[in-house]
Amino acid sequence: MTEQTVVPDTGAEGKPDAAVVRDALGVGIAVGLSGFAFGVTSAGSGLTLAQTCALSLLVFTGASQFALVGALAAGGNPLTAAAGAFFLGVRNAFYGLRLSQLLALPRAVRPFAAQWVIDETTAVALAQPTRRGVRIGFTVTGLTLYVLWNLTTLLGALGAEAIGDTAAWGLDAAGPAVFLALLAPMLRTVTERATAALAVLLGLGLLPVLPAGVPVLVAALAAPAVLWARGRRESGDGRTTTAREEER
């Protein structure tokens, strides 16, 4: 994650509050609407309305929720499905380490703010140059997204129950499609794209031979594998450069 120094609010030149709120609302609304796809996917995987809504209320991290219901829909073991969702959610803990420094919230408020530490709130918060902007961006994004995500989850689950078999309508693919649409623009560097490509190959390649939910766990090994390969290459380039300099 890119390091960022928050400029003190006094005398700092940051975005106007209205601009921060506008950006935060845009992210919150755009992503919050995809909760409908989760509601449909979750209901289609066999979870009840109460279970579906509880996942959005208590877990509130889209990738983990989609991974969980996707594994369950494929007939995976609940423990394996939960493990895959857990490992996807671990990244939020690392976001929290950085955001705790930027937000500097009172100790009593931190447990409640932790519920909103996800990809979108982190991205909006880190884009702000002042602590005031960070707090506004985080709060508006988190509130908007939490309310809208849970509302659309409810509507999606109710809609899935009304239309019956979601697979017949092709709605079982809505969750993965939304997730890929959100992920693709974030892959900017060669390392990120290589990691994503390797994860896809591992996940799809092992799907026919491993129990449902396990390929997702194995695909997580793509990140350390790519980083190891990059380190080896950079180390090799460094040795080659040193050898050339010594020859001169």
Side-chain angles (χ1 to χ4, degrees):
M1 188 178 293
T2 304
E3 290 293 326
Q4 171 181 340
T5 302
V6 177
V7 181
D9 288 333
T10 305
E13 293 184 4
K15 290 182 181 178
D17 290 352
V20 178
V21 170
R22 182 184 64 244
D23 293 344
L25 285 174
V27 172
I29 293 172
V31 179
L33 292 175
S34 62
F36 183 84
F38 170 72
V40 171
T41 305
S42 180
S45 69
L47 272 67
T48 65
L49 177 63
Q51 291 171 331
T52 297
C53 291
L55 276 174
S56 283
L57 285 168
L58 302 177
V59 178
F60 188 55
T61 173
S64 296
Q65 292 178 233
F66 277 121
L68 176 63
V69 300
L72 292 176
N77 184 288
L79 292 178
T80 304
F86 171 79
F87 283 115
L88 280 174
V90 165
R91 71 192 188 284
N92 294 337
F94 295 100
Y95 295 161
L97 294 175
R98 183 58 178 151
L99 287 179
S100 65
Q101 300 173 358
L102 301 181
L103 292 168
L105 296 173
R107 190 176 299 273
V109 179
R110 292 176 187 176
F112 302 97
Q115 178 70 352
W116 290 354
V117 177
I118 55 176
D119 297 333
E120 293 77 17
T121 54
T122 302
V124 174
L126 291 178
Q128 312 310 320
T130 66
R131 175 158 289 132
R132 177 180 175 82
V134 169
R135 288 177 171 176
I136 292 174
F138 177 84
T139 302
V140 175
T141 305
L143 179 61
T144 305
L145 186 48
Y146 189 76
V147 171
L148 194 55
W149 178 269
N150 282 280
L151 177 60
T152 54
T153 292
L154 174 62
L155 294 176
L158 290 174
E161 291 184 354
I163 65 177
D165 184 10
T166 56
W169 294 77
L171 295 178
D172 55 328
V178 170
F179 181 65
L180 289 175
L182 294 173
L183 177 65
M186 300 180 186
L187 304 177
R188 297 188 178 92
T189 67
V190 174
T191 300
E192 291 169 349
R193 291 170 182 165
T195 302
L198 180 58
V200 169
L201 290 175
L202 288 173
L204 294 180
L206 297 174
L207 196 60
V209 297
L210 293 179
V214 177
V216 175
L217 299 179
V218 178
L221 298 175
V226 171
L227 291 175
W228 176 83
R230 188 182 72 172
R232 292 276 295 180
R233 187 187 67 220
E234 292 176 350
S235 177
D237 291 344
R239 286 195 297 268
T240 301
T241 302
T242 302
R244 290 176 179 172
E245 291 176 351
E246 289 177 350
E247 290 176 359
R248 293 174 184 174

